[in-house]
Amino acid sequence: STDFGYSWTAIATVPPGVSRYQWTIPKIASYACQVRVNTNKLMDETRGVFTIIKDDARFPIVVLGSSTAAGTGVSKPDSSWVNRWRAWLNADTRYELINLAKPGYTTYHILPTGTPIPPQLSVTIDTSRNITHALSFRPKIVLVNMPSNDASYSIPVADQLHNFQQVMNTATNGGANAWITTTQPRKFNDTLKVQLQETVRDSIVCIYSYKAIDFWKGLANSDG
């Protein structure tokens, strides 16, 4: 079946006692495939579904972010989380990971092209590293990782969340599966900035649920 078991196409009829059957996979791309075997008395089928993908399928993934995603501060470039992810994906040549992250960037830098920026902010949208440019790669996945620079500039919670919403909605409307990381711990001397980080963290988890990736738990001390 290629439609979650709603319809079935016969593969073969084989004599009793055959313990192994070599099957030529059909040239039908589907994310909803199942196989079943049945006799006059017994029937068994795959648990869940599997995917059949054409050989020319391509899965671009784009990361939007700042210094953490760019790999700033790691002892070796291949130790950054994006490069570790890329190395893991390289086992399957269909995947292509495009990293548009740049150190120092805030949520304003990655907004959709043409989005108005508050006049009091000296920030310009980077049209070579924002969500609009990310969608030019026709990605299957967009992952947003803006962990602490907004708090560093004391950008209010509501403004950060509004920016995230614009980026995530643009990604989803552009056909991508959008994911977002929480804030991450950073040593601020200003306790208000730490509180800002924690509030945005909780808000991201609440708003985006399973689409939120935890960059806090296991990294932060009790003081944030």
Side-chain angles (χ1 to χ4, degrees):
S1 174
T2 57
D3 57 5
F4 295 102
Y6 288 106
S7 62
W8 294 88
T9 301
I11 295 173
T13 300
V14 299
V18 174
S19 60
R20 184 183 299 268
Y21 180 80
Q22 185 169 324
W23 174 42
T24 301
I25 298 174
K27 296 181 179 180
I28 301 173
S30 172
Y31 294 92
C33 301
Q34 292 176 279
V35 171
R36 74 181 181 188
V37 178
N38 61 296
T39 70
N40 292 332
K41 297 181 179 180
L42 301 173
M43 191 273 286
D44 194 14
E45 65 184 45
T46 48
R47 297 176 182 176
V49 295
F50 61 91
T51 302
I52 297 175
I53 300 174
K54 293 182 179 179
D55 289 342
D56 58 355
R58 179 174 164 269
F59 291 86
I61 299 169
V62 179
V63 174
L64 297 175
S66 53
S67 55
T68 299
T72 301
V74 294
S75 56
K76 298 178 180 178
D78 61 2
S79 295
S80 68
W81 76 261
V82 174
N83 284 340
R84 288 169 64 89
W85 190 20
R86 177 183 284 116
W88 184 76
L89 290 170
N90 280 347
D92 189 328
T93 58
R94 294 170 301 175
Y95 291 100
E96 176 187 8
L97 199 158
I98 301 118
N99 189 1
L100 300 182
K102 186 172 181 178
Y105 271 18
T106 68
T107 54
Y108 283 104
H109 289 91
I110 63 170
L111 286 172
T113 300
T115 303
I117 303 293
Q120 70 272 19
L121 295 177
S122 57
V123 176
T124 302
I125 295 171
D126 188 340
T127 57
S128 66
R129 295 179 181 272
N130 67 340
I131 183 58
T132 305
H133 185 60
L135 291 176
S136 70
F137 296 98
R138 303 185 69 179
K140 302 293 184 182
I141 293 174
V142 169
L143 195 150
V144 181
N145 175 218
M146 309 298 294
S148 65
N149 289 329
D150 285 70
S152 179
Y153 290 107
S154 298
I155 296 172
V157 170
D159 294 0
Q160 292 187 50
L161 296 179
H162 181 68
N163 291 347
F164 280 131
Q165 185 178 49
Q166 290 190 80
V167 172
M168 294 289 282
N169 288 348
T170 301
T172 302
N173 293 336
N177 195 346
W179 296 74
I180 183 171
T181 71
T182 66
T183 53
Q184 72 184 38
R186 176 169 169 176
K187 187 174 177 60
F188 288 121
N189 293 324
D190 186 346
T191 56
L192 292 177
K193 291 183 178 180
V194 176
Q195 182 61 54
L196 194 63
Q197 287 283 80
E198 294 177 345
T199 303
V200 172
R201 174 202 66 196
D202 294 342
S203 299
I204 287 174
V205 171
C206 181
I207 294 168
Y208 298 103
S209 183
Y210 72 96
K211 292 288 187 178
I213 301 172
D214 189 351
F215 267 48
W216 192 278
K217 186 177 180 181
L219 294 176
N221 293 326
S222 59
D223 59 1

